[in-house]
Amino acid sequence: MKIRFSSILLVLILLYGINYFIFERVLFFNELLSLIGFIYFLRISLRQNWKLRVPDNSVYRLVMGFLFLGLFYSVVSLFLKTNWYYYFRHLSIVYSVFAFFLGYSLYEAQYSFYSRLRGLILGYGLLSFAMGKFGWVDRSSFAYWLSIIQRRWQWVGVLGFLFLLGLYFAAFTSLTVIIIAGAVMGVLIVPRYTHIKWISLAAFLGFCILFYVAIPYLKLYNVNKEWFFGDVEYVYRQHPWFNFDQNSSWRMIFWYRTLVEAFPGNLLGLGFGTPILPYHPDVTTTDLGYPDEYIAHVIGTHNTFVTIFVRLGLVSVVLFLLIYRAVFRDFFKYKHYYLNHRNDGGLFIGFVIITIVGFFNLVLESPTMSGLYWISLGFVARAMAEPKNYELPNLRR
């Protein structure tokens, strides 16, 4: 039996996306997939005379813009870096983008391939849930594969999907999974792009108000500046809400320092190989087991988009806003088609899931998950480029 090269690549993507503990941290699958994605990029985007050719696809063009922005900061950071080690650690933000072109090229092959592996993926997930083995699957991102193998998004299928997410939550007690369930239901229920736009804006403004109210407490971290993270315990004691979920409170302190305290200097970004927070050299003040210098350079803000803003500045945020605008406008315009044609709906919902994971975890800045994000976006971008030969009722934006 002849084995297609595309099938080998899709297996590598599956292994990397399900268990990065082995396939990235040990076997460096993200780097391998990014390298193959770079080859596909040359195949798609360069003519025989070495002139750049960009397909007529809005997401593709925006990803190219982000790639060039990253390359620009890669050059500028040569003069800003602390040392070469930290510089190369951060370059995964740039080279992982090439995985997008891999996803873009494998769009046709992925549907039939992953649909044949549906039982295997589902069985592996159920076994992991039953055993509660954190390390067999990622604590949040396995939900992506549950959407990829979902055949249809009628109410029976949706209830089954939510049931699986419930098992996922029970096994790993990840609050992110609950938020994923809510986001997926919102995407399925909301009828128009205009509605999702206003809902997203309202949620963002609500968070901004909450964050603004919390700032007088958050700034109290500096009662002890000798500790790298400051005196976060002191902040927790100032109000019962901060003790309700200390992980979220810690994130808010971090975001305050990188978004508010560092303003307006953070509008241009820190670049690569630079510390995200100030530190005292040759000391260790955290319980993470590493010197403060190391933590200051490699840690993320536990919101991947905040970290990208800190590293690449305001332009990167604008590019991502345009990417999400293009994706959601297209999805809601052809929503009936996507949810009933192959599993294109699963590709879009999977991208929403990876996005939700990024709101509370390291994704774009870490090789453990960045490749999956860009591959997912590549699938979506190619689905958007396909002709919609289907009866589409009520196409209103």
Side-chain angles (χ1 to χ4, degrees), residues 140 142-148 150 152-155 157-163 165 168 176-191 196 199 328 331-332 335 339 343 345-357 359:
S140 303
F142 187 73
Y144 173 79
W145 296 103
L146 297 179
S147 71
I148 292 297
Q150 182 78 7
R152 288 291 183 268
W153 293 93
Q154 285 82 23
W155 69 271
V158 173
L159 289 177
F161 178 76
L162 294 176
F163 175 73
L165 289 184
Y168 195 1
T176 303
V177 175
I178 298 299
I179 299 174
I180 285 172
V184 170
M185 289 303 298
V187 169
L188 293 174
I189 293 173
V190 173
I196 205 73
I199 291 172
F328 279 105
F331 174 75
F332 281 98
K335 183 176 180 179
L339 295 179
N343 187 27
L347 299 180
F348 281 86
I349 290 172
F351 182 61
V352 170
I353 289 172
I354 293 295
T355 299
I356 297 299
V357 173
F359 282 149

CSV table of all heavy atoms in Angstrom, one decimal, residues 140 142-148 150 152-155 157-163 165 168 176-191 196 199 328 331-332 335 339 343 345-357 359:
chain,number,residue,atom,x,y,z
A,140,SER,N,-5.6,21.6,28.1
A,140,SER,CA,-6.7,22.4,27.5
A,140,SER,C,-6.9,22.2,26.0
A,140,SER,O,-8.0,22.2,25.5
A,140,SER,CB,-6.3,23.9,27.7
A,140,SER,OG,-6.2,24.2,29.0
A,142,PHE,N,-6.6,19.6,23.8
A,142,PHE,CA,-7.1,18.4,23.2
A,142,PHE,C,-8.5,18.7,22.7
A,142,PHE,O,-9.0,18.0,21.8
A,142,PHE,CB,-7.1,17.2,24.2
A,142,PHE,CG,-7.5,15.9,23.5
A,142,PHE,CD1,-6.6,15.3,22.7
A,142,PHE,CD2,-8.7,15.4,23.8
A,142,PHE,CE1,-7.0,14.1,22.1
A,142,PHE,CE2,-9.1,14.2,23.2
A,142,PHE,CZ,-8.2,13.5,22.3
A,143,ALA,N,-9.2,19.7,23.2
A,143,ALA,CA,-10.5,20.0,22.7
A,143,ALA,C,-10.5,20.4,21.2
A,143,ALA,O,-11.5,20.2,20.5
A,143,ALA,CB,-11.1,21.2,23.5
A,144,TYR,N,-9.3,20.9,20.8
A,144,TYR,CA,-9.2,21.2,19.3
A,144,TYR,C,-9.5,19.9,18.5
A,144,TYR,O,-10.2,20.0,17.5
A,144,TYR,CB,-7.8,21.7,19.1
A,144,TYR,CG,-7.5,21.9,17.6
A,144,TYR,CD1,-8.0,23.0,16.9
A,144,TYR,CD2,-6.8,20.9,16.9
A,144,TYR,CE1,-7.8,23.2,15.5
A,144,TYR,CE2,-6.5,21.1,15.5
A,144,TYR,CZ,-7.0,22.2,14.9
A,144,TYR,OH,-6.8,22.4,13.5
A,145,TRP,N,-8.9,18.8,18.9
A,145,TRP,CA,-9.1,17.6,18.1
A,145,TRP,C,-10.5,17.0,18.2
A,145,TRP,O,-11.0,16.4,17.3
A,145,TRP,CB,-8.1,16.5,18.6
A,145,TRP,CG,-6.7,17.0,18.3
A,145,TRP,CD1,-5.8,17.5,19.2
A,145,TRP,CD2,-6.1,17.1,17.0
A,145,TRP,NE1,-4.6,17.9,18.5
A,145,TRP,CE2,-4.8,17.6,17.2
A,145,TRP,CE3,-6.5,16.7,15.7
A,145,TRP,CZ2,-3.9,17.8,16.1
A,145,TRP,CZ3,-5.6,16.9,14.6
A,145,TRP,CH2,-4.4,17.5,14.8
A,146,LEU,N,-11.2,17.3,19.3
A,146,LEU,CA,-12.6,16.9,19.4
A,146,LEU,C,-13.5,17.7,18.4
A,146,LEU,O,-14.5,17.1,17.9
A,146,LEU,CB,-13.1,17.2,20.9
A,146,LEU,CG,-12.4,16.3,22.0
A,146,LEU,CD1,-13.0,16.7,23.3
A,146,LEU,CD2,-12.6,14.8,21.7
A,147,SER,N,-13.1,18.9,18.1
A,147,SER,CA,-13.8,19.6,17.1
A,147,SER,C,-13.4,19.2,15.7
A,147,SER,O,-14.3,19.1,14.8
A,147,SER,CB,-13.5,21.1,17.2
A,147,SER,OG,-12.2,21.5,16.8
A,148,ILE,N,-12.2,18.8,15.5
A,148,ILE,CA,-11.8,18.3,14.1
A,148,ILE,C,-12.5,17.1,13.7
A,148,ILE,O,-12.8,16.9,12.5
A,148,ILE,CB,-10.2,18.1,14.1
A,148,ILE,CG1,-9.5,19.5,14.3
A,148,ILE,CG2,-9.8,17.4,12.8
A,148,ILE,CD1,-9.7,20.4,13.1
A,150,GLN,N,-15.4,16.1,14.7
A,150,GLN,CA,-16.9,16.2,14.8
A,150,GLN,C,-17.4,16.2,13.4
A,150,GLN,O,-17.0,17.0,12.5
A,150,GLN,CB,-17.2,17.5,15.5
A,150,GLN,CG,-18.7,17.8,15.7
A,150,GLN,CD,-19.3,17.0,16.8
A,150,GLN,OE1,-18.6,16.3,17.6
A,150,GLN,NE2,-20.6,17.0,17.0
A,152,ARG,N,-20.8,16.5,12.2
A,152,ARG,CA,-21.8,17.5,11.9
A,152,ARG,C,-22.1,18.3,13.2
A,152,ARG,O,-21.8,17.9,14.3
A,152,ARG,CB,-23.1,16.9,11.4
A,152,ARG,CG,-23.0,16.3,10.0
A,152,ARG,CD,-22.9,17.4,8.9
A,152,ARG,NE,-22.8,16.9,7.6
A,152,ARG,CZ,-21.7,16.5,6.9
A,152,ARG,NH1,-20.6,16.7,7.6
A,152,ARG,NH2,-21.8,16.1,5.7
A,153,TRP,N,-22.7,19.5,13.0
A,153,TRP,CA,-22.9,20.4,14.1
A,153,TRP,C,-24.4,20.6,14.4
A,153,TRP,O,-24.8,21.7,14.8
A,153,TRP,CB,-22.2,21.7,13.9
A,153,TRP,CG,-20.7,21.5,14.0
A,153,TRP,CD1,-19.9,21.3,12.9
A,153,TRP,CD2,-19.9,21.4,15.2
A,153,TRP,NE1,-18.6,21.1,13.4
A,153,TRP,CE2,-18.5,21.2,14.7
A,153,TRP,CE3,-20.1,21.6,16.5
A,153,TRP,CZ2,-17.5,21.1,15.6
A,153,TRP,CZ3,-19.1,21.4,17.4
A,153,TRP,CH2,-17.8,21.2,17.0
A,154,GLN,N,-25.3,19.6,14.1
A,154,GLN,CA,-26.6,19.6,14.5
A,154,GLN,C,-26.7,19.4,16.0
A,154,GLN,O,-25.7,19.1,16.7
A,154,GLN,CB,-27.5,18.6,13.8
A,154,GLN,CG,-27.8,19.0,12.3
A,154,GLN,CD,-26.6,18.7,11.4
A,154,GLN,OE1,-25.8,17.8,11.7
A,154,GLN,NE2,-26.6,19.3,10.3
A,155,TRP,N,-27.9,19.5,16.6
A,155,TRP,CA,-28.0,19.5,18.0
A,155,TRP,C,-27.5,18.2,18.7
A,155,TRP,O,-26.9,18.3,19.8
A,155,TRP,CB,-29.4,19.8,18.5
A,155,TRP,CG,-30.4,18.8,18.2
A,155,TRP,CD1,-31.2,18.6,17.1
A,155,TRP,CD2,-30.8,17.7,19.1
A,155,TRP,NE1,-32.0,17.5,17.2
A,155,TRP,CE2,-31.8,16.9,18.4
A,155,TRP,CE3,-30.5,17.3,20.4
A,155,TRP,CZ2,-32.4,15.8,19.0
A,155,TRP,CZ3,-31.1,16.2,20.9
A,155,TRP,CH2,-32.0,15.5,20.2
A,157,GLY,N,-25.1,16.2,17.6
A,157,GLY,CA,-23.6,16.3,17.6
A,157,GLY,C,-23.1,17.3,18.6
A,157,GLY,O,-22.0,17.1,19.3
A,158,VAL,N,-23.7,18.5,18.7
A,158,VAL,CA,-23.3,19.5,19.7
A,158,VAL,C,-23.4,19.0,21.1
A,158,VAL,O,-22.5,19.2,21.9
A,158,VAL,CB,-24.1,20.8,19.5
A,158,VAL,CG1,-23.8,21.8,20.6
A,158,VAL,CG2,-23.9,21.4,18.1
A,159,LEU,N,-24.5,18.3,21.4
A,159,LEU,CA,-24.6,17.7,22.8
A,159,LEU,C,-23.5,16.7,23.1
A,159,LEU,O,-23.0,16.7,24.2
A,159,LEU,CB,-26.0,17.1,23.0
A,159,LEU,CG,-27.2,18.1,23.0
A,159,LEU,CD1,-28.5,17.3,23.1
A,159,LEU,CD2,-27.1,19.0,24.2
A,160,GLY,N,-23.2,15.9,22.1
A,160,GLY,CA,-22.1,14.9,22.2
A,160,GLY,C,-20.8,15.6,22.5
A,160,GLY,O,-20.0,15.2,23.3
A,161,PHE,N,-20.6,16.7,21.7
A,161,PHE,CA,-19.3,17.5,21.9
A,161,PHE,C,-19.2,18.1,23.3
A,161,PHE,O,-18.2,18.0,23.9
A,161,PHE,CB,-19.3,18.6,20.8
A,161,PHE,CG,-18.1,19.5,20.9
A,161,PHE,CD1,-16.9,19.0,20.4
A,161,PHE,CD2,-18.2,20.7,21.4
A,161,PHE,CE1,-15.7,19.8,20.5
A,161,PHE,CE2,-17.1,21.6,21.5
A,161,PHE,CZ,-15.8,21.1,21.0
A,162,LEU,N,-20.3,18.6,23.7
A,162,LEU,CA,-20.3,19.2,25.1
A,162,LEU,C,-20.2,18.1,26.2
A,162,LEU,O,-19.5,18.4,27.2
A,162,LEU,CB,-21.6,20.0,25.3
A,162,LEU,CG,-21.9,21.2,24.5
A,162,LEU,CD1,-23.2,21.8,24.7
A,162,LEU,CD2,-20.8,22.3,24.7
A,163,PHE,N,-20.7,17.0,25.9
A,163,PHE,CA,-20.5,15.9,26.9
A,163,PHE,C,-19.1,15.5,27.0
A,163,PHE,O,-18.5,15.3,28.1
A,163,PHE,CB,-21.4,14.7,26.4
A,163,PHE,CG,-21.2,13.4,27.3
A,163,PHE,CD1,-21.7,13.4,28.6
A,163,PHE,CD2,-20.4,12.4,26.8
A,163,PHE,CE1,-21.4,12.2,29.4
A,163,PHE,CE2,-20.2,11.2,27.6
A,163,PHE,CZ,-20.7,11.2,28.9
A,165,LEU,N,-16.5,17.5,26.4
A,165,LEU,CA,-15.9,18.5,27.1
A,165,LEU,C,-16.1,18.4,28.6
A,165,LEU,O,-15.2,18.7,29.4
A,165,LEU,CB,-16.4,19.9,26.6
A,165,LEU,CG,-15.9,20.3,25.2
A,165,LEU,CD1,-16.4,21.7,24.9
A,165,LEU,CD2,-14.4,20.3,25.0
A,168,TYR,N,-13.8,15.9,29.8
A,168,TYR,CA,-12.4,16.5,29.8
A,168,TYR,C,-12.2,17.3,31.1
A,168,TYR,O,-11.2,17.3,31.7
A,168,TYR,CB,-12.4,17.4,28.5
A,168,TYR,CG,-11.0,17.8,28.1
A,168,TYR,CD1,-9.8,17.5,28.8
A,168,TYR,CD2,-10.9,18.6,26.9
A,168,TYR,CE1,-8.6,17.9,28.3
A,168,TYR,CE2,-9.7,19.0,26.5
A,168,TYR,CZ,-8.5,18.7,27.2
A,168,TYR,OH,-7.3,19.1,26.7
A,176,THR,N,-10.3,26.4,31.6
A,176,THR,CA,-10.3,26.8,30.2
A,176,THR,C,-11.3,26.0,29.4
A,176,THR,O,-11.9,26.5,28.4
A,176,THR,CB,-8.8,26.6,29.6
A,176,THR,OG1,-7.9,27.4,30.4
A,176,THR,CG2,-8.8,27.1,28.2
A,177,VAL,N,-11.4,24.7,29.7
A,177,VAL,CA,-12.4,23.9,29.0
A,177,VAL,C,-13.8,24.4,29.1
A,177,VAL,O,-14.6,24.3,28.2
A,177,VAL,CB,-12.2,22.4,29.5
A,177,VAL,CG1,-13.3,21.5,28.8
A,177,VAL,CG2,-10.8,21.9,29.2
A,178,ILE,N,-14.2,24.9,30.3
A,178,ILE,CA,-15.5,25.4,30.5
A,178,ILE,C,-15.7,26.7,29.7
A,178,ILE,O,-16.7,26.9,29.0
A,178,ILE,CB,-15.8,25.7,32.0
A,178,ILE,CG1,-15.7,24.4,32.8
A,178,ILE,CG2,-17.1,26.4,32.2
A,178,ILE,CD1,-16.7,23.4,32.5
A,179,ILE,N,-14.7,27.5,29.6
A,179,ILE,CA,-14.8,28.7,28.8
A,179,ILE,C,-14.8,28.4,27.3
A,179,ILE,O,-15.6,29.0,26.5
A,179,ILE,CB,-13.6,29.6,29.1
A,179,ILE,CG1,-13.6,30.0,30.6
A,179,ILE,CG2,-13.6,30.9,28.2
A,179,ILE,CD1,-12.3,30.8,31.0
A,180,ILE,N,-14.1,27.3,26.9
A,180,ILE,CA,-14.2,26.8,25.5
A,180,ILE,C,-15.6,26.4,25.2
A,180,ILE,O,-16.1,26.7,24.1
A,180,ILE,CB,-13.2,25.6,25.3
A,180,ILE,CG1,-11.8,26.1,25.3
A,180,ILE,CG2,-13.6,24.8,24.1
A,180,ILE,CD1,-10.7,25.0,25.3
A,181,ALA,N,-16.3,25.7,26.1
A,181,ALA,CA,-17.6,25.2,25.9
A,181,ALA,C,-18.6,26.4,25.7
A,181,ALA,O,-19.4,26.4,24.7
A,181,ALA,CB,-18.1,24.4,27.0
A,182,GLY,N,-18.4,27.4,26.5
A,182,GLY,CA,-19.2,28.6,26.4
A,182,GLY,C,-19.0,29.4,25.1
A,182,GLY,O,-19.9,29.8,24.4
A,183,ALA,N,-17.7,29.5,24.7
A,183,ALA,CA,-17.4,30.1,23.4
A,183,ALA,C,-17.9,29.4,22.2
A,183,ALA,O,-18.4,30.0,21.3
A,183,ALA,CB,-15.8,30.3,23.3
A,184,VAL,N,-17.8,28.1,22.2
A,184,VAL,CA,-18.3,27.3,21.1
A,184,VAL,C,-19.8,27.4,21.0
A,184,VAL,O,-20.4,27.6,19.9
A,184,VAL,CB,-17.9,25.8,21.3
A,184,VAL,CG1,-18.6,24.9,20.2
A,184,VAL,CG2,-16.4,25.6,21.1
A,185,MET,N,-20.5,27.4,22.1
A,185,MET,CA,-22.0,27.6,22.0
A,185,MET,C,-22.3,29.0,21.5
A,185,MET,O,-23.3,29.1,20.8
A,185,MET,CB,-22.6,27.4,23.4
A,185,MET,CG,-22.5,25.9,23.9
A,185,MET,SD,-23.4,24.8,22.7
A,185,MET,CE,-25.1,25.5,22.8
A,186,GLY,N,-21.6,30.0,21.9
A,186,GLY,CA,-21.8,31.3,21.5
A,186,GLY,C,-21.6,31.4,20.0
A,186,GLY,O,-22.5,32.0,19.3
A,187,VAL,N,-20.6,30.8,19.4
A,187,VAL,CA,-20.3,30.9,18.0
A,187,VAL,C,-21.5,30.1,17.2
A,187,VAL,O,-21.9,30.6,16.1
A,187,VAL,CB,-19.0,30.2,17.7
A,187,VAL,CG1,-18.8,30.0,16.2
A,187,VAL,CG2,-17.9,31.1,18.2
A,188,LEU,N,-22.0,29.0,17.8
A,188,LEU,CA,-23.0,28.3,17.1
A,188,LEU,C,-24.4,28.9,17.2
A,188,LEU,O,-25.2,28.9,16.2
A,188,LEU,CB,-23.1,26.9,17.7
A,188,LEU,CG,-21.9,25.9,17.5
A,188,LEU,CD1,-22.1,24.6,18.3
A,188,LEU,CD2,-21.7,25.6,16.0
A,189,ILE,N,-24.7,29.6,18.3
A,189,ILE,CA,-26.0,30.2,18.5
A,189,ILE,C,-26.1,31.6,17.8
A,189,ILE,O,-27.1,31.9,17.2
A,189,ILE,CB,-26.3,30.3,20.0
A,189,ILE,CG1,-26.4,28.9,20.6
A,189,ILE,CG2,-27.6,31.1,20.3
A,189,ILE,CD1,-26.6,28.8,22.1
A,190,VAL,N,-25.1,32.4,18.0
A,190,VAL,CA,-25.1,33.8,17.5
A,190,VAL,C,-25.3,33.7,15.9
A,190,VAL,O,-24.5,33.1,15.3
A,190,VAL,CB,-23.9,34.6,17.9
A,190,VAL,CG1,-23.9,35.9,17.2
A,190,VAL,CG2,-23.8,34.7,19.4
A,191,PRO,N,-26.3,34.5,15.4
A,191,PRO,CA,-26.6,34.3,14.0
A,191,PRO,C,-25.7,35.2,13.0
A,191,PRO,O,-25.5,34.8,11.9
A,191,PRO,CB,-28.0,34.7,13.8
A,191,PRO,CG,-28.2,35.7,15.0
A,191,PRO,CD,-27.3,35.2,16.1
A,196,ILE,N,-21.7,39.0,17.0
A,196,ILE,CA,-20.5,38.5,17.7
A,196,ILE,C,-19.5,39.6,17.9
A,196,ILE,O,-18.8,39.7,18.8
A,196,ILE,CB,-19.9,37.3,16.9
A,196,ILE,CG1,-19.0,36.4,17.8
A,196,ILE,CG2,-19.0,37.8,15.7
A,196,ILE,CD1,-19.8,35.6,18.7
A,199,ILE,N,-20.8,41.6,20.9
A,199,ILE,CA,-20.6,40.8,22.1
A,199,ILE,C,-19.1,40.8,22.5
A,199,ILE,O,-18.8,41.0,23.7
A,199,ILE,CB,-21.1,39.4,21.9
A,199,ILE,CG1,-22.6,39.4,21.7
A,199,ILE,CG2,-20.7,38.5,23.0
A,199,ILE,CD1,-23.2,38.0,21.3
A,328,PHE,N,-14.0,35.7,11.1
A,328,PHE,CA,-15.3,35.7,11.7
A,328,PHE,C,-16.3,36.2,10.6
A,328,PHE,O,-17.5,35.7,10.6
A,328,PHE,CB,-15.4,36.4,13.0
A,328,PHE,CG,-15.0,35.6,14.1
A,328,PHE,CD1,-13.7,35.9,14.7
A,328,PHE,CD2,-15.7,34.6,14.7
A,328,PHE,CE1,-13.3,35.1,15.8
A,328,PHE,CE2,-15.3,33.8,15.7
A,328,PHE,CZ,-14.1,34.1,16.3
A,331,PHE,N,-16.9,33.3,8.3
A,331,PHE,CA,-17.6,32.2,8.9
A,331,PHE,C,-19.1,32.5,9.0
A,331,PHE,O,-19.9,31.7,8.7
A,331,PHE,CB,-17.0,31.9,10.3
A,331,PHE,CG,-17.8,30.9,11.1
A,331,PHE,CD1,-17.7,29.5,10.7
A,331,PHE,CD2,-18.6,31.2,12.1
A,331,PHE,CE1,-18.4,28.6,11.4
A,331,PHE,CE2,-19.4,30.3,12.8
A,331,PHE,CZ,-19.3,29.0,12.5
A,332,PHE,N,-19.4,33.7,9.5
A,332,PHE,CA,-20.8,34.0,9.8
A,332,PHE,C,-21.6,34.3,8.4
A,332,PHE,O,-22.8,34.1,8.3
A,332,PHE,CB,-21.0,35.2,10.7
A,332,PHE,CG,-20.8,34.8,12.1
A,332,PHE,CD1,-19.6,35.0,12.8
A,332,PHE,CD2,-21.8,34.2,12.9
A,332,PHE,CE1,-19.4,34.6,14.1
A,332,PHE,CE2,-21.7,33.8,14.2
A,332,PHE,CZ,-20.5,34.0,14.8
A,335,LYS,N,-22.0,30.6,7.3
A,335,LYS,CA,-22.1,29.7,8.5
A,335,LYS,C,-22.9,28.4,8.2
A,335,LYS,O,-22.4,27.3,8.5
A,335,LYS,CB,-22.8,30.5,9.6
A,335,LYS,CG,-22.9,29.7,10.9
A,335,LYS,CD,-23.5,30.6,12.0
A,335,LYS,CE,-23.6,29.8,13.3
A,335,LYS,NZ,-24.2,30.7,14.4
A,339,LEU,N,-21.0,24.7,8.5
A,339,LEU,CA,-21.5,23.7,9.5
A,339,LEU,C,-22.1,22.4,8.9
A,339,LEU,O,-22.4,21.5,9.6
A,339,LEU,CB,-22.5,24.3,10.4
A,339,LEU,CG,-22.0,25.5,11.3
A,339,LEU,CD1,-23.1,26.0,12.2
A,339,LEU,CD2,-20.8,25.0,12.2
A,343,ASN,N,-16.3,19.0,7.3
A,343,ASN,CA,-16.2,19.5,8.6
A,343,ASN,C,-15.5,20.8,8.7
A,343,ASN,O,-14.7,21.1,9.5
A,343,ASN,CB,-15.4,18.5,9.5
A,343,ASN,CG,-15.5,18.9,11.0
A,343,ASN,OD1,-16.4,19.6,11.4
A,343,ASN,ND2,-14.5,18.5,11.8
A,345,GLY,N,-16.8,23.5,9.5
A,345,GLY,CA,-17.2,24.1,10.7
A,345,GLY,C,-16.3,23.7,11.8
A,345,GLY,O,-16.0,24.6,12.7
A,346,GLY,N,-15.9,22.5,11.9
A,346,GLY,CA,-15.0,22.0,12.9
A,346,GLY,C,-13.6,22.8,12.8
A,346,GLY,O,-13.0,23.0,13.9
A,347,LEU,N,-13.2,23.1,11.6
A,347,LEU,CA,-11.9,23.8,11.5
A,347,LEU,C,-12.0,25.2,12.1
A,347,LEU,O,-11.1,25.7,12.8
A,347,LEU,CB,-11.6,24.0,10.0
A,347,LEU,CG,-11.3,22.7,9.2
A,347,LEU,CD1,-11.0,23.0,7.8
A,347,LEU,CD2,-10.2,21.8,9.9
A,348,PHE,N,-13.2,25.9,11.8
A,348,PHE,CA,-13.4,27.2,12.4
A,348,PHE,C,-13.5,27.2,13.9
A,348,PHE,O,-12.9,28.0,14.7
A,348,PHE,CB,-14.6,27.9,11.8
A,348,PHE,CG,-14.3,28.5,10.4
A,348,PHE,CD1,-14.5,27.7,9.3
A,348,PHE,CD2,-14.0,29.8,10.3
A,348,PHE,CE1,-14.2,28.2,8.0
A,348,PHE,CE2,-13.8,30.3,9.0
A,348,PHE,CZ,-13.9,29.5,7.9
A,349,ILE,N,-14.3,26.2,14.4
A,349,ILE,CA,-14.5,26.1,15.8
A,349,ILE,C,-13.2,25.7,16.5
A,349,ILE,O,-12.9,26.1,17.6
A,349,ILE,CB,-15.6,25.1,16.1
A,349,ILE,CG1,-17.0,25.7,15.7
A,349,ILE,CG2,-15.7,24.7,17.6
A,349,ILE,CD1,-18.1,24.8,15.7
A,350,GLY,N,-12.4,24.8,15.8
A,350,GLY,CA,-11.1,24.5,16.4
A,350,GLY,C,-10.2,25.7,16.5
A,350,GLY,O,-9.5,25.8,17.5
A,351,PHE,N,-10.3,26.6,15.6
A,351,PHE,CA,-9.5,27.8,15.7
A,351,PHE,C,-10.0,28.7,16.8
A,351,PHE,O,-9.1,29.3,17.5
A,351,PHE,CB,-9.6,28.6,14.3
A,351,PHE,CG,-8.7,29.8,14.3
A,351,PHE,CD1,-7.4,29.8,14.5
A,351,PHE,CD2,-9.3,31.1,14.2
A,351,PHE,CE1,-6.6,30.9,14.5
A,351,PHE,CE2,-8.6,32.2,14.2
A,351,PHE,CZ,-7.2,32.2,14.3
A,352,VAL,N,-11.3,28.7,17.1
A,352,VAL,CA,-11.8,29.4,18.2
A,352,VAL,C,-11.3,28.8,19.5
A,352,VAL,O,-10.9,29.5,20.5
A,352,VAL,CB,-13.3,29.4,18.2
A,352,VAL,CG1,-13.9,29.9,19.5
A,352,VAL,CG2,-13.9,30.2,17.0
A,353,ILE,N,-11.2,27.5,19.5
A,353,ILE,CA,-10.7,26.8,20.7
A,353,ILE,C,-9.3,27.1,21.0
A,353,ILE,O,-8.9,27.4,22.2
A,353,ILE,CB,-10.9,25.3,20.6
A,353,ILE,CG1,-12.4,24.9,20.6
A,353,ILE,CG2,-10.1,24.5,21.6
A,353,ILE,CD1,-12.7,23.5,20.3
A,354,ILE,N,-8.4,27.1,20.0
A,354,ILE,CA,-7.0,27.4,20.2
A,354,ILE,C,-6.9,28.9,20.6
A,354,ILE,O,-6.0,29.2,21.5
A,354,ILE,CB,-6.2,27.2,18.9
A,354,ILE,CG1,-6.2,25.7,18.5
A,354,ILE,CG2,-4.8,27.7,19.0
A,354,ILE,CD1,-5.4,24.9,19.5
A,355,THR,N,-7.7,29.7,20.1
A,355,THR,CA,-7.7,31.1,20.6
A,355,THR,C,-8.0,31.3,22.1
A,355,THR,O,-7.4,32.0,22.8
A,355,THR,CB,-8.7,32.0,19.7
A,355,THR,OG1,-8.3,31.9,18.4
A,355,THR,CG2,-8.7,33.4,20.2
A,356,ILE,N,-9.1,30.6,22.5
A,356,ILE,CA,-9.5,30.6,23.9
A,356,ILE,C,-8.3,30.1,24.8
A,356,ILE,O,-8.0,30.6,25.9
A,356,ILE,CB,-10.7,29.8,24.2
A,356,ILE,CG1,-11.9,30.4,23.4
A,356,ILE,CG2,-11.1,29.7,25.7
A,356,ILE,CD1,-12.3,31.8,23.8
A,357,VAL,N,-7.7,29.0,24.4
A,357,VAL,CA,-6.5,28.5,25.1
A,357,VAL,C,-5.4,29.6,25.2
A,357,VAL,O,-4.8,29.7,26.2
A,357,VAL,CB,-5.9,27.2,24.4
A,357,VAL,CG1,-4.6,26.8,25.0
A,357,VAL,CG2,-7.0,26.1,24.4
A,359,PHE,N,-5.8,32.7,25.4
A,359,PHE,CA,-6.2,33.8,26.3
A,359,PHE,C,-5.6,33.5,27.8
A,359,PHE,O,-5.5,34.5,28.5
A,359,PHE,CB,-7.7,34.0,26.4
A,359,PHE,CG,-8.3,34.7,25.3
A,359,PHE,CD1,-9.6,34.4,24.8
A,359,PHE,CD2,-7.5,35.7,24.6
A,359,PHE,CE1,-10.1,35.1,23.8
A,359,PHE,CE2,-8.1,36.4,23.5
A,359,PHE,CZ,-9.4,36.1,23.1
